[in-house]
């Protein structure tokens, strides 16, 4: 079900898996749930020969805990801030990756020190960065959204934005 959801989000956005630079995973930290989620991410986002550099994975839960019903919106806020500041925050409290998770097989990595997205942008030649966000509810409600970095703000001169008198 998670793989179908990730595929549908990419199809709806008309994107390739390699277009996405970062995944904000649901990431509960459980020995069962996380390997299933990462395997699904790998099966969808890892199956793109155009991916030149590893996909970054993270979860806001390492910073603020599990907020139950608000966990999805907290992840969305982290995605937006990550893209806005062009920086993937470091993943806290990670001592070793669950042996059931094959990050090199995706290829993916978890930012233990933080990572500037600008470096990733230069290495791929992409114009804007993108992040995927997964949230899975206890009731069976699953969601995956893809968020794109906002376009650069174009500052207009005063003459360009003044309206004529009415």
């Amino acid at each position: 079900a998670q793989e179908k959801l990730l595929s549908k989000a990419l199809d709806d956005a008309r994107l390739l898996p390699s277009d996405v630079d970062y995944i904000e995973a649901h990431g509960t930290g459980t020995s069962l749930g996380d390997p299933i989620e990462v395997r699904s991410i790998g099966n969808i986002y890892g199956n793109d020969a155009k991916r030149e550099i590893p996909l970054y994975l993270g979860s806001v839960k390492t910073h603020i805990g599990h907020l139950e019903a608000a966990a999805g919106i907290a992840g969305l806020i982290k995605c937006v801030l990550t893209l806005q500041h062009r920086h993937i925050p470091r993943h806290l409290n990670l001592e070793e990756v669950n042996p059931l998770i094959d990050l090199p097989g995706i290829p993916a990595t978890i930012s233990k020190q933080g990572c500037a997205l600008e470096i990733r942008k230069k290495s791929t030649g992409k114009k804007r960065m993108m992040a995927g966000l997964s949230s899975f509810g206890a009731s069976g409600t699953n969601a995956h959204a893809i968020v794109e970095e906002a376009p650069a703000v174009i500052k207009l001169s005063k003459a360009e934005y003044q309206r004529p008198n009415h």
Side-chain angles (χ1 to χ4, degrees):
Q2 290 181 25
E3 288 180 25
K4 286 181 184 177
L5 179 67
L6 300 175
S7 289
K8 179 91 169 92
L10 285 167
D11 289 346
D12 287 349
R14 297 185 180 109
L15 295 172
L16 295 172
S18 59
D19 292 329
V20 177
D21 306 285
Y22 172 73
I23 299 288
E24 176 65 23
H26 183 74
T28 59
T30 63
S31 59
L32 176 63
D34 286 354
I36 292 170
E37 181 179 10
V38 174
R39 191 174 309 116
S40 297
I41 290 168
N43 288 342
I44 301 305
Y45 282 96
N47 286 330
D48 189 343
K50 293 184 180 183
R51 182 170 300 286
E52 296 172 0
I53 54 179
L55 176 69
Y56 269 82
L57 302 178
S59 177
V60 72
K61 290 175 183 74
T62 68
H63 298 272
I64 61 174
H66 197 312
L67 299 179
E68 301 300 329
I73 196 67
L76 176 61
I77 292 167
K78 181 182 170 196
C79 280
V80 169
L81 290 171
T82 295
L83 295 174
Q84 179 183 3
H85 295 286
R86 292 190 172 173
H87 182 80
I88 299 169
R90 70 185 186 105
H91 196 82
L92 302 178
N93 306 315
L94 177 64
E95 293 177 18
E96 64 182 74
V97 176
N98 182 323
L100 299 175
I101 294 176
D102 178 23
L103 292 177
I106 294 176
T109 190
I110 296 171
S111 180
K112 293 180 185 177
Q113 302 302 320
C115 174
L117 278 176
E118 190 63 33
I119 294 168
R120 294 179 61 76
K121 183 176 171 182
K122 286 179 184 173
S123 67
T124 60
K126 292 165 64 173
K127 293 186 176 158
R128 289 196 285 228
M129 307 308 293
M130 294 191 199
L133 163 68
S134 290
S135 185
F136 306 123
S139 64
T141 303
N142 295 339
H144 186 75
I146 299 173
V147 182
E148 182 177 17
E149 177 182 27
V153 175
I154 300 171
K155 295 188 179 192
L156 302 175
S157 68
K158 190 172 183 179
E160 290 177 297
Y161 66 81
Q162 285 184 331
R163 296 178 3 174
N165 294 332
H166 295 281

